[in-house]
Amino acid sequence: MEKYILLVEDNPDDEILAIRALRKNHIVNRVEVARDGAEALDFLFRRGTHAGRPGNLPEVVLLDLKLPKLHGLEVLQRIRAEEATRLLPVVVLTTSSEDRDLVESYRLGANSYIRKPVDFDQFMEAVRQLGMYWLILNHSANGVGAHA
Amino acid sequence: MAEAPTENAKRPAVSRPAWWSSPGFVAWALWGSIGAVVMGLAAYSGAKAFVARRADDNIRHVLLTHRGLHHYIQRVMHPAYFAAREKGMVSPDWYSPMVLSSSYIVRNMHGFYNQERVKDGHVEIYYKMATDNPRNPVNKATPLESGLLRKFNEQRGLREYRETVEIEGKPFLLHAMPFLETNGACLRCHGRREDAPPGLQALYPGEGGFNERAGVIRAVEIIRAPLSPERFTVAILTASAMGGLLGLAGLLAFNVRLRRLVEARTSSLREEVLHRAQVEREVLQLNATLEGRVRERTAQLQAAIQELDAFAYSVSHDLRAPLRAMDGFSSALEEDWAPALGEEGKEFLRRIRKSCSRMGDLIEDLLRLSRFTRQEMDPKDLDLSALAREVAEELRSGSPERRVVFEIEEGLAARGDESLVRALLGNLLGNAFKFTAKVPEARIEVGKTSWQGRATFFVRDNGVGFDMAYKDKLFGAFQRLHSAEDFPGTGIGLATVLRIVQRHGGTVDAASVPGRGATFYFTL
């Protein structure tokens, strides 16, 4: 099945830049975008507008924290609460420099945390490492998720 | 708790001592009894003196009357008798004591005298001319009178003698005086019997009153006045009763006064208790209001902090998102449209990106400053020397190319929040590190000293220093005294230091000589 990424991001600029960063780092996988927390959950659990969506779970979820409707941390909590998505890799992606967000993210089971710096070059570098890590090296978590 | 004052107002907790045990009463009773005793004694002695004077008056009265009579008989009647006898008007044989003997006349006159006294409501007075050798047996001296007669014969100068005697249980004032000394003339009737006038001899058989000797006092005149003991008792009783009454009246007056005093005090006390209860209620009410106000303010403050929190959070996200977009798209332009932009266009993009990054730094610092303000404190005993060493080590490893001597005094101790104090030292040492960058032999000291009379910590460097004229601006946020070209930074470090020191209730100050270094003093 086709490997793809779910990007949960409400800011269209950030969306474009994130996808650009991925592409620039030769991550050519399809990127699905959810514009708020509720939509992200609908997508993952194939509900609402995404009911009957074909296909598997994404390889990784890039989750912004400050989201309309449902906060990113709440989304993370729901993902970890469901058996189907309990092991789904989630990378928290946020502008927030608040320590408590970082602590709370890890507490709720985020696999990684990337701060979105103002400097795009730094962001590019972070995304590059992330993409390499999750799409090329990390097979096992993905595999377990796929067969579950 | 709020019920307590009302309770007090109803039943004032005043301990009231028994009125009779009050010091005032005891003193009064003591003085009262002493007064009564003194009064009794005075009344007694007064009564005694009065009675004695009455008796004395009576005696003097008897004396004067009877003396006069004696003189009359002896100086008038006797010469008249003898003159009549010489003229042959009286027979030489005739003798009558009723006419011629003063002792006889006075004794019998005394009977009439007493009758008159009694008729006038006075007591009877005893009178006697007592002798051991009486012519008339009624004049025979009692043993007491006989003793007195002897006394006068022995003490010839003694004119009178006074004594209080008790006869048949009754007190009397006894007055004794010697009668005339017997002389030759007396012996015509008191010498040998055969020499006395024959008429006298016939009237007085026996030897009584004869054979007397000249120069002897043959009789003592005794006058006895009763000391009226009943008057005495009455006087004493009256005085005592009056004293007692007076004492009682005093006691009553005292009691009334005391009761009034107690009542007055009690009522004033009650008023005071009520007043205090009122005040206490007011204080409680005020406290409640104050507590409420404090709660309200605290809630407002907490709301403000929460708001600040939310604000900071949104600043960190929302303010940075557009920056990131600007920087991101500038980068995209740079990469994908470079040929079309030309060198000047690329330079402009670089400037846009530099500004983005600077604004990102400013936002970051602003958030950090606000974090130091909001962060909860956890005060502990800290080893400032160890913290300073750690910070110094970080600085050194951050710029391994620099040669900086750190001199950190041992045993610097303070109480504070570790992360905040670490940030404080990080800023001060970081500043010192930064501003000594262009000094060949950089030196940074951390220690303890006395600054303006107070024990303070200090961080001293030998860097560029600053102009003291701008000292006031030193601790303001985003204030810079050096160009960003020379020394990079946002100007938030010392504002952070001030904020942290203030949160610890301390102070911070700085001194410098431009070109020779700066010293920062702080207390926690």
Side-chain angles (χ1 to χ4, degrees), chain B residues 128-337:
Chain B
K128 185 172 173 186
M129 186 163 294
T131 179
D132 293 328
N133 176 31
R135 174 153 297 160
N136 193 318
V138 297
N139 292 332
K140 174 73 181 168
T142 62
L144 174 88
E145 293 160 350
S146 172
L148 287 170
L149 178 58
R150 243 192 335 277
K151 189 183 183 78
F152 283 121
N153 268 312
E154 281 160 9
Q155 301 172 28
R156 270 314 171 81
L158 195 62
R159 298 310 308 151
E160 59 179 34
Y161 175 80
R162 277 281 170 98
E163 180 175 20
T164 306
V165 295
E166 202 168 277
I167 292 159
E168 289 166 13
K170 284 180 180 172
F172 289 91
L173 181 64
L174 182 144
H175 184 91
M177 7 178 243
F179 192 59
L180 296 172
E181 193 182 293
T182 308
N183 54 33
C186 306
L187 295 181
R188 280 171 60 194
C189 295
H190 290 288
R192 290 187 302 158
R193 185 179 176 86
E194 49 269 31
D195 297 338
L200 187 150
Q201 287 183 49
L203 274 173
Y204 299 95
E207 287 301 312
F210 292 109
N211 307 316
E212 287 291 329
R213 285 180 294 118
V216 173
I217 296 168
R218 65 168 302 255
V220 59
E221 270 186 296
I222 302 286
I223 306 169
R224 235 166 50 195
L227 280 169
S228 359
E230 57 288 332
R231 283 174 190 242
F232 220 165
T233 319
V234 166
I236 289 171
L237 279 178
T238 311
S240 304
M242 274 175 68
L245 275 174
L246 221 69
L248 213 67
L251 277 185
L252 282 171
F254 178 78
N255 191 16
V256 166
R257 221 192 59 177
L258 197 73
R259 207 164 279 184
R260 273 201 203 128
L261 193 74
V262 167
E263 263 164 32
R265 295 253 170 100
T266 307
S267 90
S268 78
L269 215 60
R270 190 174 297 130
E271 260 168 42
E272 196 178 323
V273 166
L274 284 172
H275 176 72
R276 285 208 188 153
Q278 172 72 21
V279 168
E280 205 172 319
R281 259 200 302 282
E282 278 168 15
V283 166
L284 282 173
Q285 211 167 337
L286 202 67
N287 277 355
T289 322
L290 269 178
E291 270 169 34
R293 225 175 274 172
V294 166
R295 263 200 299 278
E296 207 174 291
R297 290 280 153 83
T298 309
Q300 282 174 359
L301 216 59
Q302 267 161 357
I305 288 174
Q306 270 165 16
E307 209 168 293
L308 195 64
D309 253 359
F311 173 74
Y313 192 78
S314 95
V315 162
S316 76
H317 274 275
D318 302 343
L319 228 53
R320 268 197 295 206
L323 270 183
R324 209 169 42 245
M326 280 187 245
D327 191 69
F329 289 117
S330 302
S331 152
L333 269 181
E334 237 177 5
E335 285 180 12
D336 299 355
W337 302 85

Side-chain angles (χ1 to χ4, degrees), chain A residues 10-64:
Chain A
D10 63 317
N11 186 331
D13 288 342
D14 277 352
E15 178 195 326
I16 292 169
L17 290 170
I19 292 171
R20 181 181 158 82
L22 289 169
R23 297 289 176 257
K24 280 273 167 186
N25 284 300
H26 314 294
I27 299 165
V28 292
N29 303 57
R30 178 166 57 91
V31 176
E32 289 285 343
V33 178
R35 311 237 171 255
D36 60 59
E39 196 191 338
L41 291 178
D42 283 351
F43 182 91
L44 288 173
F45 302 128
R46 297 194 227 183
R47 306 179 306 209
T49 50
H50 296 280
R53 168 184 68 81
N56 53 347
L57 285 171
E59 287 308 294
V60 63
V61 178
L62 301 182
L63 179 64
D64 190 25

Side-chain angles (χ1 to χ4, degrees), chain B residues 11 14 54 97 105 127 177 209 298 401 410 421 494 497 522:
Chain B
R11 285 186 279 112
V14 183
R54 285 293 290 268
I105 293 168
Y127 175 86
M177 7 178 243
T298 309
E401 74 287 356
E410 281 304 311
V421 173
L494 289 177
V497 166
F522 67 96

